[in-house]
Amino acid sequence: MAELLAEGYRRLFKGKRFYIVMGVVAAIAVLFTMLYHFINSMASGLIGGGLDEGIPADPLLFEGIGVMPLLVGIAAGMLIVQDFRNNTIRNKVIIGHSRIKIYLANWIVSVTVMLIYLAVYLLFVIAFGGIILGFDEFPSKATMLNLLHVLLIELAMTSFIVFLCNTMKNVGGFVLSITMHYVVDMFSLVLMLLNKHPKIQEIISEAVPTFQMSLIKNGYDEIQKHGVRMALFMLAITAVSTVVGALLFKRSDLK
């Protein structure tokens, strides 16, 4: 496992894609901050400078949730697909590495990418947003709990990205992984519209990662009320996608 991780991290940090996407993450944080600042300035001007308080930087902490799976897919997902295209995966199996360990190594490297990008986004938001806009509640207990919940959501999404890329073994898996945010959103919304039962709709909204992202971004109070159940859903998605993905990869035909 140590050799697989060392090789995975070497390829990750050696390539330009990882750093380019990291720059995009930082740029998104700065862009959102400047957008909030522009909105505050425009609102203040419209009411003759009588705006006592503008939009604080607190919501910025959660603005990047939705775009993060896309960026992780570009950096980590494409790295996995390239292993299949270059027959690197097959070579690892030939020299004696366990398929389960290969899968888990890819998972760990991908999760590392997610953690780094999430940390970079938050650092830039805290730095620029705190200076330009200021925070109202951060770092309150509620905000920190929501950030912890964001981590669980991103973990579930990253695990699913690894599942898709390792299962499909081609660019199609990469494309599906970076678009799944919108695909899952669309099908979940259709399912909710077709089923009018309040309890079913509630379960769907709590079980689907993309819906949870929307709830957190909108400051939805149910995050606090049903936070434990929602966190368990994310942990379940992480566990199931990882276990099933590893088992499918173990039995797959590497050509």
Side-chain angles (χ1 to χ4, degrees):
M1 176 67 82
E3 293 181 4
L4 291 170
L5 288 174
E7 192 272 340
Y9 285 127
R10 181 191 63 79
R11 291 182 61 240
L12 174 68
F13 297 132
K14 185 178 179 181
K16 296 179 180 179
R17 184 185 299 108
F18 172 75
Y19 300 101
I20 292 174
V21 178
M22 184 188 294
V24 172
V25 172
I28 289 174
V30 175
L31 180 63
F32 278 144
T33 302
M34 299 309 297
L35 179 61
Y36 272 45
H37 178 63
F38 173 74
I39 293 173
N40 285 344
S41 300
M42 185 173 63
S44 178
L46 287 175
I47 61 176
L51 185 66
D52 295 327
E53 294 183 4
I55 304 175
D58 301 77
L60 280 171
L61 296 168
F62 308 101
E63 284 289 354
I65 302 175
V67 74
M68 203 60 65
L70 168 65
L71 300 176
V72 172
I74 293 174
M78 196 59 191
L79 194 69
I80 296 173
V81 171
Q82 283 181 333
D83 272 355
F84 285 103
R85 294 177 62 185
N86 300 333
N87 288 325
T88 305
I89 294 288
R90 187 173 63 178
N91 292 338
K92 290 177 181 178
V93 174
I94 291 175
I95 64 177
H97 289 295
S98 163
R99 292 196 182 200
I100 298 296
K101 290 183 178 180
I102 293 173
Y103 188 97
L104 291 178
N106 283 335
W107 184 87
I108 293 172
V109 172
S110 299
V111 170
T112 302
V113 172
M114 180 271 291
L115 292 173
I116 292 174
Y117 286 173
L118 189 58
V120 169
Y121 177 82
L122 291 176
L123 285 174
F124 271 80
V125 164
I126 291 171
F128 285 88
I131 293 173
I132 297 175
L133 302 171
F135 293 100
D136 277 356
E137 299 180 4
F138 177 78
S140 67
K141 180 181 178 180
T143 302
M144 298 307 293
L145 286 175
N146 279 346
L147 286 175
L148 179 60
H149 196 94
V150 167
L151 180 61
L152 295 179
I153 295 174
E154 300 295 354
L155 182 64
M157 297 291 279
T158 301
S159 298
F160 204 64
I161 289 172
V162 176
F163 168 81
L164 289 173
C165 291
N166 275 284
T167 302
M168 298 185 70
K169 308 182 190 66
N170 53 36
V171 177
F174 161 72
V175 173
L176 185 57
S177 72
I178 64 177
T179 58
M180 68 173 178
H181 174 88
Y182 310 100
V183 174
V184 172
D185 240 1
M186 180 180 65
F187 280 101
S188 299
L189 182 59
V190 170
L191 184 60
M192 289 182 70
L193 293 175
L194 292 177
N195 195 315
K196 300 296 185 180
H197 196 283
K199 193 62 179 178
I200 299 297
Q201 292 185 341
E202 180 181 323
I203 292 175
I204 293 174
S205 66
E206 292 181 355
V208 177
T210 51
F211 280 9
Q212 287 198 17
M213 291 178 182
S214 299
L215 295 179
I216 290 183
K217 285 175 65 177
N218 295 330
Y220 192 54
D221 293 336
E222 296 299 308
I223 294 293
Q224 304 299 326
K225 188 184 299 183
H226 301 298
V228 174
R229 189 166 66 188
M230 295 170 71
L232 290 176
F233 275 127
M234 295 303 97
L235 291 173
I237 291 174
T238 300
V240 171
S241 62
T242 302
V243 171
V244 173
L247 293 177
L248 289 176
F249 179 65
K250 183 179 180 180
R251 298 182 180 182
S252 64
D253 183 22
L254 298 177
K255 295 182 179 180

